[in-house]
Amino acid sequence: MRGSTLLLELLKDYDVDRVFGLPGETSIPYYPEFAELHVITMDERNAVYMADAYARVSFKPGVVEGPSVGSPYMLPGVIEAYKSSSPVIVITTDTDLYGERMNMLTSLDQTALFKPYTKESITVTSADDLSHAVRRAFRLATGGRPGPVHLRIPNHVLEEEGSISLPPQREFSRYPAQRPVADQDAVRLAVSALLDSSNPVIICGQGALYSRAWDEVVELAELMGIPVGTTITGKGCISELHPLSIGVVGGRGGTSFSNSFLEKADLIFLVGSNTDSSNTDRWRYPPRTKTVIHLDVSEAEVGNNYNSINLIGDAKATLREIIREVRSRGVKSREVKVDREEFEARVTEIASMSGERVNPVRFVKELERRVRDQVIVADPGVGAIYVSALFRTGKAGRNFVFNYGLGGLGYAIPASVGAQLGSGRQVLAMTGDGSFGFSAGELETIARLKSDVVLFVFNNSSFGWIRAEMRIQGRDVRGTDFSSLDYVKIAEGFGLRGYRISTDQEIGDVLDKAMGSTPSLVEVVVDPEDKFYPPVAHWARALPHDVKHVY
């Protein structure tokens, strides 16, 4: 069997139904075989973002391919997947391996490029090795802490004859592939600490979503009467209409309301969180003086930034053991009231404020009333910060995708394609005018695929987040402004329906039209972040008391 055909058959063995990528000379041998799976994109980086988002919502590894010449452009997407622990199989074709030393066009050291930001970079030297390499790639990508794996395939491997040397390990076509449970002594110690605490709080990170542990999170919270918060990337681990939900915590998406629970708690139970600077507001929430239990599948993360009781294991499986242990001790639930009235009154007050441009708080609350089963994907900036802090999701599950592993611009537009294909649901993508320039070409992909996607472009004619950070630091604002484009015309030029929201009164009507006629793009005209401050913890602490904000 030719190597190209063999590769396709191996991917099908792992239930792969989408491969994201674009044509290149070194990849030509497998294009006839890949036609039925291929999602053709306009840019290699965006292809990886699509595979990343596909993996997050489908609970299957995302597969992306690129030619030798395109391999360097894939790296930003690979780094995001690596930092976010997203299982992505990154396939790059190559010239003959010795070609780099002969200055063959497009040759480069792909292994050196990808090795630091993947769980492993595997070079396939013969068609007979493909089955072993693909087998290893899926096992590594889905096992333990998920992450990207790189397969480097020289052109000749695709042309030569080969055979399958090892059968597929089909259990690694999904994740978590297996569910290791934390040590029983550690479980008992953690339960004792929970029982001894008077005011515990559970905080769930993205690892709890990867593990699909939301049922266990709610069961433990209700069993013991414990409030539950999430990090921005863990949003969805509990319905935020649940009486024990406190919403998103930390520096991005956290509020004075939610973070106050961490200040008052005597114990914080971290589930699937890497405790990074964003999720913790540089380790302010939770304070390092608190008692901490830390559950994570990665031994690199448990206790990494806190002195904690450490549980190394799958979140769902280990929470089941914790629940079993708690029930065996006959524990009665605490009486806990999460009182949101004062905070919600402040949100309502800010949402009612009128100005010359759209009030983003009102926009988010209007959107919240209309969302039923959609997936929301958001770039860093206006979309992500208001959605994470103020959009109260009514159900648990993977309903949000934020790229706060690395946090680069330009993620949401391509990710919306992967999220829609991976979930089969309508996707609402929140991007900014700064991010738009990174990935505008994928509007062609969205139009060609007739994707059930609504793109919201928040237009403030600037890199608004950086403007605000400069203001907060007391610096002159420089290099952040750019000309305002007509995003409606751009959308229509690509074949999407285009809409614009310029005032608060237009929000509801335009949302209804855009969400009912996809693919579509909605330009939302807003002030830069330094004129209408979003809920960012360290900004709120630096603002004068008379400045209105929802933190």
Side-chain angles (χ1 to χ4, degrees):
M1 191 183 301
R2 286 178 72 248
S4 57
T5 306
L6 180 57
L7 177 60
L8 175 66
E9 293 304 312
L10 290 166
L11 293 177
K12 286 183 175 179
D13 281 339
Y14 284 90
D15 197 27
V16 173
D17 58 2
R18 294 285 189 276
V19 176
F20 301 89
L22 66 161
E25 290 183 358
T26 56
S27 305
I28 287 174
Y30 63 41
Y31 269 75
E33 283 84 356
F34 273 47
E36 60 185 290
L37 305 181
H38 227 150
V39 179
I40 303 298
T41 71
M42 303 300 290
D43 178 272
E44 288 91 352
R45 175 191 57 178
N46 294 333
V48 185
Y49 285 155
M50 291 179 194
D52 173 15
Y54 175 94
R56 298 196 204 198
V57 302
S58 69
F59 297 96
K60 297 166 55 179
V63 180
V64 60
E65 62 83 24
S68 178
V69 69
S71 59
Y73 303 101
M74 302 172 80
L75 195 59
V78 174
I79 295 174
E80 175 60 47
Y82 183 69
K83 298 287 285 185
S84 292
S85 301
S86 185
V88 175
I89 308 297
V90 183
I91 301 171
T92 60
T93 51
D94 202 353
T95 62
D96 291 341
L97 294 179
Y98 198 76
E100 182 187 356
R101 292 162 181 82
M102 299 174 65
N103 297 323
M104 183 176 287
L105 186 65
T106 81
S107 290
L108 71 152
D109 189 347
Q110 294 182 11
T111 301
L113 189 70
F114 288 100
K115 186 176 181 180
Y117 302 109
T118 56
K119 294 183 76 172
E120 186 166 293
S121 177
I122 304 168
T123 300
V124 182
T125 57
S126 75
D128 283 335
D129 292 335
L130 275 169
S131 62
H132 187 280
V134 170
R135 194 175 193 261
R136 183 173 179 84
F138 277 86
R139 189 173 66 251
L140 288 174
T142 61
R145 176 182 177 175
V149 177
H150 173 224
L151 282 174
R152 180 185 188 183
I153 307 177
N155 189 270
H156 72 85
V157 172
L158 300 173
E159 299 278 21
E160 67 188 29
E161 294 294 312
S163 59
I164 295 177
S165 58
L166 287 167
Q169 297 171 302
R170 289 189 173 88
E171 67 268 33
F172 298 106
S173 63
R174 297 285 191 280
Y175 71 93
Q178 296 190 7
R179 296 185 180 275
V181 179
D183 177 79
Q184 279 297 315
D185 288 340
V187 168
R188 286 189 283 269
L189 181 62
V191 170
S192 295
L194 283 168
L195 294 176
D196 290 342
S197 65
S198 59
N199 194 20
V201 175
I202 297 171
I203 303 299
C204 297
Q206 185 164 229
L209 287 178
Y210 282 148
S211 181
R212 287 177 274 185
W214 42 83
D215 289 340
E216 286 72 18
V217 168
V218 171
E219 185 176 348
L220 178 62
E222 292 177 344
L223 178 62
M224 300 191 71
I226 304 177
V228 179
T230 75
T231 65
I232 184 171
T233 52
K235 187 178 178 76
C237 289
I238 186 172
S239 163
E240 289 169 328
L241 301 182
H242 192 286
L244 289 174
S245 169
I246 62 174
V248 171
V249 302
R252 302 289 172 96
T255 64
S256 56
F257 168 77
S258 60
N259 286 334
S260 69
F261 283 82
L262 299 183
E263 292 173 343
K264 297 172 185 175
D266 63 339
L267 181 146
I268 293 92
F269 184 10
L270 300 170
V271 180
S273 171
N274 67 356
T275 63
D276 68 11
S277 60
S278 172
N279 288 332
T280 62
D281 192 19
R282 298 190 178 186
W283 307 284
R284 187 183 184 98
Y285 306 112
R288 281 176 164 150
T289 56
K290 306 290 185 178
T291 299
V292 173
I293 302 169
H294 195 172
L295 165 60
D296 200 279
V297 75
S298 170
E299 71 280 1
E301 299 303 338
V302 290
N304 188 45
N305 290 314
Y306 289 89
N307 183 25
S308 54
I309 297 170
N310 299 320
L311 301 168
I312 300 175
D314 172 76
K316 186 181 184 75
T318 301
L319 285 173
R320 288 244 58 90
E321 288 301 308
I322 289 172
I323 291 167
R324 189 176 294 112
E325 179 69 19
V326 170
R327 290 192 185 281
S328 73
R329 301 193 193 187
V331 175
K332 293 183 178 179
S333 177
R334 301 174 177 85
E335 292 294 328
V336 176
K337 179 176 175 58
V338 175
D339 187 355
R340 301 182 59 94
E341 290 183 9
E342 182 180 345
F343 176 71
E344 291 298 334
R346 188 160 73 251
V347 173
T348 301
E349 177 189 359
I350 298 295
S352 67
M353 294 171 55
S354 296
E356 295 181 359
R357 300 184 179 186
V358 176
N359 181 330
V361 178
R362 180 168 174 179
F363 173 86
V364 166
K365 300 313 282 186
E366 290 278 2
L367 186 69
E368 177 186 289
R369 283 192 278 273
R370 289 165 170 81
V371 167
R372 296 295 178 265
D373 191 43
Q374 289 90 340
V375 176
I376 294 180
V377 179
D379 275 307
V382 171
I385 209 66
Y386 283 105
V387 165
S388 60
L390 305 179
F391 186 106
R392 295 185 68 190
T393 179
K395 66 174 187 175
R398 176 57 99 171
N399 306 311
F400 299 87
V401 178
F402 301 100
N403 65 314
Y404 268 103
L406 186 63
L409 298 183
Y411 178 83
I413 291 176
S416 70
V417 176
Q420 201 281 316
L421 291 172
S423 68
R425 297 150 64 187
Q426 186 177 78
V427 173
L428 310 177
M430 310 289 162
T431 191
D433 49 0
S435 285
F436 184 85
F438 283 71
S439 50
E442 299 306 337
L443 268 62
E444 189 282 330
T445 307
I446 290 170
R448 172 168 32 89
L449 297 177
K450 298 180 174 59
S451 299
D452 190 6
V453 167
V454 184
L455 305 177
F456 295 94
V457 180
F458 294 93
N459 177 11
N460 55 27
S461 302
S462 67
F463 293 110
W465 194 279
I466 304 304
R467 280 182 60 94
E469 189 62 44
M470 288 176 173
R471 296 278 194 207
I472 290 295
Q473 294 182 19
R475 302 175 188 272
D476 293 336
V477 173
R478 296 182 183 275
T480 62
D481 296 342
F482 44 82
S483 59
S484 182
L485 307 177
D486 190 331
Y487 294 97
V488 172
K489 286 185 178 179
I490 293 172
E492 291 173 346
F494 276 100
L496 280 72
R497 293 177 175 86
Y499 304 91
R500 180 179 292 111
I501 303 175
S502 300
T503 67
D504 292 340
Q505 290 68 38
E506 298 170 328
I507 295 174
D509 184 51
V510 173
L511 285 178
D512 292 337
K513 290 179 180 177
M515 293 167 70
S517 56
T518 60
S520 57
L521 180 148
V522 180
E523 177 185 356
V524 186
V525 183
V526 295
D527 283 320
E529 285 91 324
D530 63 317
K531 294 184 179 179
F532 197 111
Y533 279 93
V536 180
H538 78 277
W539 289 354
R541 290 193 294 270
L543 288 173
H545 292 297
D546 59 346
V547 174
K548 283 282 187 182
H549 58 83
V550 290
Y551 177 75

